[in-house]
Amino acid sequence: MKKSTLYYIWLTLGIGFCSTKVRYIHKLYSDISKLYEGSEQELRLCGVFTEHEIDKLLKTDLSASEAILRRSEELNFKVYDISMSEYPDRLRQIPDAPAVIYVSGELPDFDSINSVAIVGTRKATVYGIKTAMNLGINLSKSGFAVISGGALGIDCAAHKGVLQAKGTAICVLGCGIDYNYLMENKDLRDAVEKTGALVSEYPPGHPSSSHNFPQRNRIISALSDGVVVVEAPIKSGSMITVDFALKQGKDVFAVMGNVDSPYSAGSNLLIKEGAVPVTCWQDVVEFYKGVVDEGVYEELANDSNSVASVPSKNKDINAHSVNKPVPVHKPDINLTDDEKSVYYAIGNDPVHIDVITDRTSLPPHVVIRIVSSLELKDLIENTNGRFYALK
């Protein structure tokens, strides 16, 4: 365990969780021990802490950090601080990156694998449970790591689907990994720990509280390439996760639900506002990996443990044929100024959404909404993951 971890735990004990100051300190100090050893003068000179935080940091010595590390070692938890190579880089990039994460199990290499978060209401319907489990099974079989929050309802169903498929499950908790929260899910957590990882920014023994869960949602979205909302009321933790995802430049998907159900009101609203509609697991796979070979569908459909839906035999799996006419920008189309800006930033060659954002100088969440709208208007197409081209 690196010496730096001791000091990053100390930093968190002084300024709290979910602070944007952690990244600033990480960039300012190649050796964070200098901040601790510099005492009050250094804490003031760095120009980032409030008087209350300085007072708290001065009153916090390393003994509490040492106790947390000892307890983590007893529980066989891995502890990664923001300066370590084992700490996921995609998590390091968010403004309020955790100073430290605690891991039980093994994190995947996020740079070499697609990962999707599946989130939704605790009060899920039978439809929602079946859909979340279906997504968990088939996204896992398609090579995705699946992330969720370990709660009852949609989260639990998604995790169970991943475990059934023997895939990589990641559960991000809003309390210490060892804390006795939702113990009816203990067997599920133990299974996730063996096939993937339990993750928390909270140290061992840290209790759950109402404000922990919105905080942990930023980690769920940060670790993912995209967030799939299965069922969610308009005011819910899942919608908070979507807000984080949009700010972090992640893709947002939503499962189309019953228009009369309050549990689908949020997910249906997301589709209306430009989220990628999900009618089957293939919609997510094709978004990231392009058109999936028909043999993959048949293999999953023939698997007795799979609840895969099989696409129609009439599905055009050669939609990107080389004989396709070269598309051009259509004149005199009824678009807003922002839509035109995005439309004309896209050409015949596939362009990544980050490049579109740079070309238009529009906020990432606006670009995500507009490309979805342009797709629905049949003006552009998603060619592979986050790449778009004229249609």
Side-chain angles (χ1 to χ4, degrees):
M1 203 167 291
K2 285 184 65 176
K3 184 180 178 182
S4 60
T5 308
L6 195 68
Y7 296 99
Y8 275 111
I9 294 174
W10 162 78
L11 180 64
T12 298
L13 295 175
I15 67 175
F17 304 96
C18 203
S19 173
T20 57
K21 297 176 182 180
V22 170
R23 277 188 72 202
Y24 178 83
I25 293 299
H26 169 57
K27 291 180 178 179
L28 193 62
Y29 294 91
S30 58
D31 181 358
I32 191 178
S33 67
K34 302 300 182 185
L35 179 65
Y36 178 84
E37 293 166 356
S39 194
E40 182 175 357
Q41 181 180 10
E42 191 65 34
L43 291 173
R44 293 188 181 282
L45 283 176
C46 72
V48 67
F49 301 117
T50 65
E51 287 296 324
H52 174 73
E53 289 169 338
I54 291 172
D55 184 59
K56 184 83 179 287
L57 287 166
L58 289 173
K59 291 178 179 178
T60 304
D61 61 30
L62 294 182
S63 61
S65 300
E66 290 166 346
I68 288 172
L69 287 178
R70 281 197 302 271
R71 182 57 179 156
S72 298
E73 187 173 351
E74 290 170 1
L75 294 168
N76 201 30
F77 294 168
K78 301 176 181 68
V79 188
Y80 302 137
D81 70 64
I82 193 172
S83 72
M84 296 171 65
S85 59
E86 296 90 344
Y87 185 104
D89 188 59
R90 58 178 58 189
L91 187 57
R92 188 183 288 113
Q93 299 308 317
I94 66 173
D96 42 9
V100 173
I101 57 171
Y102 302 83
V103 178
S104 183
E106 296 292 336
L107 288 176
D109 179 2
F110 288 103
D111 291 333
S112 62
I113 188 173
N114 287 112
S115 56
V116 173
I118 299 176
V119 299
T121 179
R122 289 171 168 81
K123 299 177 180 179
T125 66
V126 173
Y127 164 76
I129 294 293
K130 182 179 178 181
T131 301
M133 192 165 182
N134 182 355
L135 287 168
I137 290 173
N138 292 299
L139 290 178
S140 292
K141 287 179 176 290
S142 300
F144 286 74
V146 177
I147 306 162
S148 201
L152 298 175
I154 298 300
D155 290 12
C156 188
H159 288 313
K160 286 180 177 178
V162 179
L163 294 172
Q164 181 175 322
K166 297 180 173 58
T168 301
I170 300 166
C171 177
V172 183
L173 297 168
C175 56
I177 294 173
D178 63 326
Y179 186 72
N180 292 334
Y181 171 74
L182 277 181
M183 291 315 290
E184 56 264 51
N185 273 354
K186 183 179 185 306
D187 290 344
L188 179 68
R189 286 197 212 174
D190 291 345
V192 168
E193 183 180 25
K194 292 175 183 176
T195 63
L198 301 174
V199 181
S200 180
E201 68 176 314
Y202 303 106
H206 193 91
S208 61
S209 67
S210 58
H211 69 270
N212 287 8
F213 295 98
Q215 288 181 349
R216 72 90 193 263
N217 289 349
R218 81 193 194 282
I219 299 176
I220 291 176
S221 57
L223 291 176
S224 70
D225 293 308
V227 173
V228 182
V229 181
V230 178
E231 279 185 324
I234 289 178
K235 292 185 178 180
S236 64
S238 299
M239 300 299 275
I240 293 173
T241 307
V242 168
D243 288 340
F244 280 124
L246 291 173
K247 290 174 183 175
Q248 295 165 0
K250 307 292 182 173
D251 305 310
V252 175
F253 304 80
V255 173
M256 302 173 73
N258 188 335
V259 295
D260 296 324
S261 171
Y263 303 120
S264 289
S267 40
N268 287 340
L269 177 63
L270 290 173
I271 293 172
K272 186 177 179 180
E273 292 183 342
V276 179
V278 174
T279 59
C280 60
W281 58 269
Q282 292 95 329
D283 291 334
V284 181
V285 175
E286 291 185 354
F287 185 88
Y288 290 106
K289 298 189 175 183
V291 176
V292 178
D293 184 83
E294 191 172 0
V296 174
Y297 291 135
E298 293 177 351
E299 179 184 346
L300 290 174
N302 292 331
D303 187 334
S304 60
N305 291 322
S306 174
V307 289
S309 57
V310 184
S312 165
K313 291 295 183 181
N314 294 325
K315 182 180 177 74
D316 179 13
I317 63 171
N318 295 311
H320 303 288
S321 167
V322 294
N323 295 321
K324 182 179 177 180
V326 177
V328 294
H329 290 104
K330 298 177 182 178
D332 302 324
I333 49 176
N334 186 21
L335 298 175
T336 66
D337 289 342
D338 284 351
E339 287 175 330
K340 287 180 180 177
S341 180
V342 172
Y343 181 49
Y344 286 102
I346 299 170
N348 295 326
D349 295 325
V351 60
H352 194 273
I353 196 164
D354 290 346
V355 177
I356 300 171
T357 302
D358 289 340
R359 288 177 179 177
T360 60
S361 299
L362 292 170
H365 71 276
V366 173
V367 175
I368 291 170
R369 174 178 54 80
I370 290 176
V371 293
S372 297
S373 174
L374 294 177
E375 279 189 279
L376 291 173
K377 293 177 180 178
D378 215 31
L379 295 173
I380 65 171
E381 62 181 346
N382 178 266
T383 59
N384 185 15
R386 302 179 191 178
F387 287 84
Y388 296 84
L390 289 178
K391 188 171 182 180

